């Protein structure tokens, strides 16, 4: 039986995804929000982890890929990641690609596409919806370094400088420097404008 971990901060959404997968095949499905994601990934050792790119919290985790022990547990574990994405947000697809996601399913597609994608990714194959392929090509070049993106993504989630510094194991002054660099590189007037520009491009 294929073990699947569904991550989403909205209980109703993850319950609906779990119900769909259970009804379509021999899937043992566990669901969790981002706060318990690392713990669930460690205890379950899923064959596939399903992540919604539009889910609050996903941006910061993808941007921090490889930076913290908890994020490595979710995104760098033996479990391949399958993302649910929208063609209208090509920047988020590139974030997932940099985080080494193995599958990409268009959220506007049929439920059967998700089922097939889970099976393919669990079998060690790559899966990319054709409707998302062009979106990869349309994404604007990302001017930010991985660390600048991590800081900006967490700021976009509402984290304070102190919270970002603790999460990324940085000094508060270093966080401010990364914020200033991100603001400059995006051509923004201030941090709020940098977040707006980056969200519009799909980077955070």
């Amino acid at each position: 039986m294929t073990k699947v971990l569904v991550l989403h901060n909205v209980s109703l959404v993850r319950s609906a995804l779990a119900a769909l997968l259970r009804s379509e095949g021999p899937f043992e499905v566990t669901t969790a929000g981002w706060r318990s994601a690392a713990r669930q990934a460690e205890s379950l050792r899923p064959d596939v982890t399903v992540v919604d790119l539009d889910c609050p919290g996903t941006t910061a985790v993808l941007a921090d890929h490889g930076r913290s022990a908890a994020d490595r547990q979710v995104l760098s574990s033996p479990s391949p990641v399958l993302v649910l994405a929208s063609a209208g947000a090509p920047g988020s697809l590139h974030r997932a690609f940099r985080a080494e996601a193995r599958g990409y399913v268009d959220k506007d597609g049929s439920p059967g596409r998700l089922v097939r994608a889970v099976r393919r990714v669990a079998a060690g194959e790559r899966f990319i919806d054709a409707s998302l392929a062009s979106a990869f090509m349309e994404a604007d070049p990302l001017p930010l370094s991985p660390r600048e993106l991590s800081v900006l993504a967490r700021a976009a989630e509402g984290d304070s400088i102190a919270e970002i510094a603790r999460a990324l194991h940085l000094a508060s002054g270093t966080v401010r420097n990364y914020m200033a660099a991100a603001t400059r590189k995006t051509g923004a007037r201030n941090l709020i404008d940098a977040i707006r520009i980056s969200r519009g491009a799909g980077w955070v």
Side-chain angles (χ1 to χ4, degrees):
M1 182 172 287
T2 301
K3 293 188 292 184
V4 182
L5 175 60
V6 175
L7 300 181
H8 202 290
N9 277 346
V10 179
S11 177
L12 185 61
V13 173
R14 63 178 183 256
S15 295
L17 289 171
L20 166 66
L21 290 171
R22 291 181 184 126
S23 69
E24 294 291 336
F27 300 124
E28 177 187 330
V29 185
T30 302
T31 67
W34 276 113
R35 290 192 176 187
S36 60
R39 184 173 65 254
Q40 289 285 6
E42 183 176 11
S43 62
L44 180 63
R45 300 289 180 180
D47 299 303
V48 180
T49 298
V50 177
V51 177
D52 185 344
L53 289 184
D54 294 330
C55 174
T58 307
T59 290
V61 173
L62 288 176
D64 295 346
H65 173 56
R67 300 299 181 183
S68 71
D71 296 342
R72 283 197 301 271
Q73 192 69 52
V74 176
L75 293 170
S76 297
S77 69
S79 167
V81 173
L82 186 155
V83 297
L84 306 178
S86 299
S92 63
L93 289 169
H94 275 250
R95 290 201 312 275
F97 183 77
R98 287 193 300 272
E100 300 177 5
R102 296 287 298 173
Y104 303 81
V105 176
D106 191 339
K107 294 202 296 185
D108 290 328
S110 68
R113 297 290 290 172
L114 173 60
V115 175
R116 287 194 292 277
V118 169
R119 288 175 175 151
R120 293 267 297 275
V121 171
E125 301 175 29
R126 208 177 258 288
F127 183 95
I128 302 177
D129 258 333
S131 55
L132 297 178
S134 62
F136 273 100
M137 305 300 295
E138 294 170 2
D140 294 329
L142 176 62
L144 306 177
S145 71
R147 188 58 97 186
E148 291 161 354
L149 182 62
S150 296
V151 168
L152 191 63
R154 288 189 174 272
E157 295 288 340
D159 288 1
S160 67
I161 289 175
E163 289 170 332
I164 295 171
R166 282 195 300 272
L168 300 182
H169 309 289
L170 299 170
S172 294
T174 303
V175 171
R176 291 189 182 91
N177 289 340
Y178 281 127
M179 287 179 170
T183 300
R184 184 182 69 256
K185 288 183 178 181
T186 56
R189 298 184 301 275
N190 50 44
L191 181 63
I192 300 300
D193 195 34
I195 292 172
R196 178 190 61 78
I197 292 169
S198 297
R199 279 180 167 160
W203 299 328
V204 301

